[in-house]
């Protein structure tokens, strides 16, 4: 067992450990997606197509603002997993205190920045006129939940880094129950529209964050987590920034790219946006197992790298790769078979269903390319090789996907726009795959072996 008494990823069959670690995260991801889907279902059925488009549009600027700091939380999680593998409990304490302090110091400026740029950003996104005001209201209210969202994601990452993938599911269960109940009350019951959906989400994330703080204080008293720690260790901060900043910059640029891509989608009107949004929800469901296996691979790699079990890093990567490839083919079959019916749950408008299913047809047959790239990046992140995944993702989005989207949008029918995704996945896989096969990402092994 690890120093925390949780799952030790340095002993046992890699495939079995990866599945055991990933399953609670998968449940948590499904819960998170459930309350996102409920937002869309309630808004789409009780308010209308324009409101559904507004909720989807309003999420993109939030993702850009939060991605950088959530990425730094991921960096903290990677370093914590390495400390756990090495048995360094004091190092884990320093990382926990420093990461929490950074979140508290930075959340207010981030919220104010978001509120200041909300309207001009929505204008730059070519937000349809019939959805603009609703999108602005949703975004402005959602931004008030910045601290809770950052705090929850940090606490969940801390526990996963320590080998505990089960407890974060409880945090998400709290958020899901609160969000669904308040969605039904605020939107369906009181008729507050998209403002009610945003308010429900904000209250839910703060409830989840508060619960996570109380939970860690009770079950991990050795880390003495406080509500206002403000204890920053210089070395811990450097470790967090060294690993987390490239991931955060990558995620922020990736989210910014999605925002720009949405500005292209938005030019086709609210029905097109609603179909894109509904299909995106289904696509996200298929992404959940991939994300869970990748996060498990990162934690597995980090612990074994910290414990200097480099043979297990390699075997774990092979096992995780088989898992994500198998899932990709299964998800493709299910979504193509049931896609029209599922999209119709969000909006029964024929145009919305046609756009959404065209999205699935363009993406799902090629999803295995993205799955392999995502998994290889996760393994490299686990050993601290964070720059190559960042470069691969930046090339994927900025050099390939966005130019392809503009070109397809200008020269082909509207639905062909979605082919920009598989084209970019192939480019990203070429970079990550070739670097992984070169073995250069294992240079840290030699440094550890001679330390």
């Amino acid at each position: 067992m690890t120093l925390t008494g949780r799952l030790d990823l340095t002993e046992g069959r890699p495939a079995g450990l990866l599945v055991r670690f990933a399953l609670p995260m998968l449940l948590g991801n499904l819960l998170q997606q459930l309350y996102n889907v409920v937002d869309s279902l309630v808004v789409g059925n009780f308010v209308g197509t324009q409101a559904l488009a507004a909720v989807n549009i309003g999420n993109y600027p939030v993702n850009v603002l939060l991605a950088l700091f959530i990425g730094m939380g991921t960096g903290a999680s990677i370093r914590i997993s390495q400390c756990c593998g090495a048995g360094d409990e004091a190092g884990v304490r320093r990382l926990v205190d420093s990461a929490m302090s950074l979140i508290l110091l930075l959340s207010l400026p981030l919220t104010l920045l978001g509120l200041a740029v909300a309207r001009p950003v929505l204008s730059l996104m070519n937000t349809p006129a019939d959805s603009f005001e609703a999108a602005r209201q949703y975004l402005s209210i959602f931004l008030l939940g910045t601290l809770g969202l950052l705090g929850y994601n940090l606490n969940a990452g801390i526990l996963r880094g320590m080998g505990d993938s089960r407890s974060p599911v409880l945090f998400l269960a709290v958020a899901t129950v609160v969000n669904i109940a308040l969605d039904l009350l605020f939107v369906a019951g009181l008729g507050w529209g998209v403002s009610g959906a945003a308010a429900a989400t904000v209250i839910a994330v703060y409830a989840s964050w508060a619960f996570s703080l109380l939970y860690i204080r009770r079950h991990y008293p050795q880390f003495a987590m406080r509500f206002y720690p403000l204890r920053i260790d210089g070395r811990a901060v450097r470790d967090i920034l060294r690993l987390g900043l490239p991931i955060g910059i990558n995620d922020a640029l990736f989210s910014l790219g999605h925002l720009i891509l949405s500005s292209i989608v938005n030019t086709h009107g609210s029905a097109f946006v609603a179909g894109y949004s509904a299909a995106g929800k289904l696509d996200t469901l298929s992404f959940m197992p991939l994300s869970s296996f990748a996060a498990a691979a990162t934690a597995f790699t980090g612990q074994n790298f910290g414990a200097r079990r480099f043979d297990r890093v390699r075997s774990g990567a092979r096992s995780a790769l088989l898992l994500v490839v198998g899932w990709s083919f299964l998800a493709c079959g299910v979504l193509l078979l049931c896609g029209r019916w599922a999209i119709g749950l969000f909006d029964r408008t024929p145009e919305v269903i046609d756009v959404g299913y065209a999205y699935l047809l363009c993406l799902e047959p090629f999803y295995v390319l993205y799955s392999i790239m995502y998994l290889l990046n996760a393994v490299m992140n686990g050993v601290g090789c964070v720059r190559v995944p960042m470069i691969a993702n930046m090339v994927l989005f900025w050099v390939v996907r966005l130019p392809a989207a503009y070109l397809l949008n200008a020269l082909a029918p509207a639905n062909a726009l979605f082919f920009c995704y598989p084209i970019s996945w192939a480019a990203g896989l070429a970079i990550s795959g070739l670097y992984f096969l070169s073995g250069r990402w294992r240079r840290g092994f030699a440094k550890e072996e001679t330390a």
Side-chain angles (χ1 to χ4, degrees):
M1 301 298 287
T2 66
L3 77 163
T4 63
R6 295 296 176 178
L7 186 62
D8 183 359
L9 301 176
T10 64
E11 299 291 342
R13 291 181 61 249
L17 288 170
L18 287 166
V19 172
R20 285 176 60 193
F21 194 84
L23 284 178
M25 286 192 294
L26 174 58
L27 176 58
N29 287 333
L30 289 172
L31 284 172
Q32 186 172 33
Q33 187 59 22
L34 174 63
Y35 82 71
N36 290 333
V37 167
V38 168
D39 265 351
S40 296
L41 286 173
V42 172
V43 170
N45 285 280
F46 287 94
V47 188
T49 298
Q50 289 76 23
L52 178 60
V55 169
N56 181 66
I57 292 167
N59 276 314
Y60 285 115
V62 174
N63 291 337
V64 175
L65 287 172
L66 299 183
L68 178 62
F69 299 98
I70 292 176
M72 288 196 288
T74 303
S77 178
I78 292 170
R79 188 68 188 108
I80 285 170
S81 70
Q82 294 175 352
C83 287
C84 286
D88 182 7
E89 185 171 332
V92 174
R93 276 200 300 271
R94 289 192 298 270
L95 287 161
V96 169
D97 287 340
S98 299
M100 180 60 71
S101 297
L102 285 174
I103 291 298
L104 291 171
L105 290 171
L106 296 174
S107 59
L108 180 59
L110 187 63
T111 301
L112 295 176
L113 174 62
L115 293 171
V117 302
R119 184 177 289 275
V121 166
L122 290 173
S123 296
L124 289 172
M125 291 174 64
N126 298 317
T127 301
D130 56 1
S131 298
F132 188 96
E133 186 57 28
R136 188 198 63 79
Q137 292 173 5
Y138 183 88
L139 174 57
S140 298
I141 295 172
F142 195 106
L143 284 167
L144 299 178
T146 298
L147 175 59
L149 194 59
L150 292 179
Y152 155 73
N153 278 283
L154 174 62
N155 289 350
I158 286 170
L159 293 180
R160 288 173 186 143
M162 293 190 292
D164 181 359
S165 62
R166 296 181 180 180
S167 298
V169 178
L170 299 176
F171 312 157
L172 272 174
V174 170
T176 300
V177 171
V178 172
N179 193 78
I180 291 175
L182 292 181
D183 261 339
L184 295 173
L185 174 62
F186 293 164
V187 181
L190 299 177
W192 290 358
V194 295
S195 296
T201 301
V202 169
I203 295 172
V205 297
Y206 276 110
S208 179
W209 178 48
F211 179 80
S212 70
L213 282 171
L214 293 172
Y215 184 93
I216 294 175
R217 283 167 61 88
R218 178 176 178 180
H219 293 273
Y220 295 88
Q222 67 270 40
F223 300 120
M225 179 172 281
R226 303 185 298 171
F227 286 95
Y228 300 100
L230 297 180
R231 294 181 293 186
I232 299 179
D233 178 84
R235 179 181 176 185
V237 170
R238 286 194 298 272
D239 285 342
I240 292 171
L241 294 178
R242 175 177 59 84
L243 296 172
L245 200 55
I247 296 173
I249 291 172
N250 171 65
D251 290 347
L253 290 173
F254 209 73
S255 297
L256 180 60
H258 273 292
L259 187 150
I260 296 172
L261 181 60
S262 74
S263 72
I264 303 175
V265 172
N266 293 344
T267 62
H268 295 284
S270 293
F272 194 91
V273 174
Y276 175 73
S277 171
K281 299 293 185 187
L282 300 180
D283 182 52
T284 301
L285 285 174
S286 73
F287 174 73
M288 294 293 100
L290 167 60
S291 173
S292 301
F293 286 130
T298 298
F300 181 95
T301 302
Q303 282 198 20
N304 284 283
F305 181 73
R308 301 188 179 187
R309 298 292 307 276
F310 307 127
D311 58 320
R312 289 179 58 80
V313 171
R314 300 183 185 94
S315 60
R318 288 192 294 269
S319 298
L321 186 61
L322 291 175
L323 289 169
V324 300
V325 168
W327 169 253
S328 298
F329 288 117
L330 177 62
C332 173
V334 171
L335 284 177
L336 293 184
L337 182 65
C338 306
R340 283 189 172 274
W341 168 81
I343 294 166
L345 295 175
F346 295 91
D347 193 315
R348 297 181 182 89
T349 306
E351 183 183 355
V352 172
I353 295 174
D354 288 343
V355 170
Y357 194 66
Y359 175 98
L360 296 178
L361 284 174
C362 291
L363 270 67
E364 296 307 318
F366 306 98
Y367 205 69
V368 66
L369 301 176
Y370 183 61
S371 298
I372 295 172
M373 183 201 75
Y374 197 82
L375 188 279
L376 297 182
N377 288 346
V379 172
M380 289 189 283
N381 283 337
V383 301
C385 178
V386 296
R387 293 181 182 176
V388 172
M390 179 185 73
I391 293 170
N393 278 311
M394 290 179 66
V395 170
L396 177 157
F397 216 111
W398 292 91
V399 178
V400 180
R401 183 177 299 176
L402 286 178
Y406 279 107
L407 187 63
L408 290 168
N409 192 56
L411 302 178
N415 290 345
L417 165 67
F418 304 132
F419 277 116
C420 69
Y421 284 89
I423 293 171
S424 65
W425 293 341
L429 177 58
I431 296 172
S432 294
L434 289 173
Y435 190 83
F436 191 89
L437 291 174
S438 75
R440 296 178 65 189
W441 62 280
R442 297 197 299 265
R443 284 182 296 184
F445 294 8
K447 294 178 182 179
E448 287 292 318
E449 287 172 332
T450 58

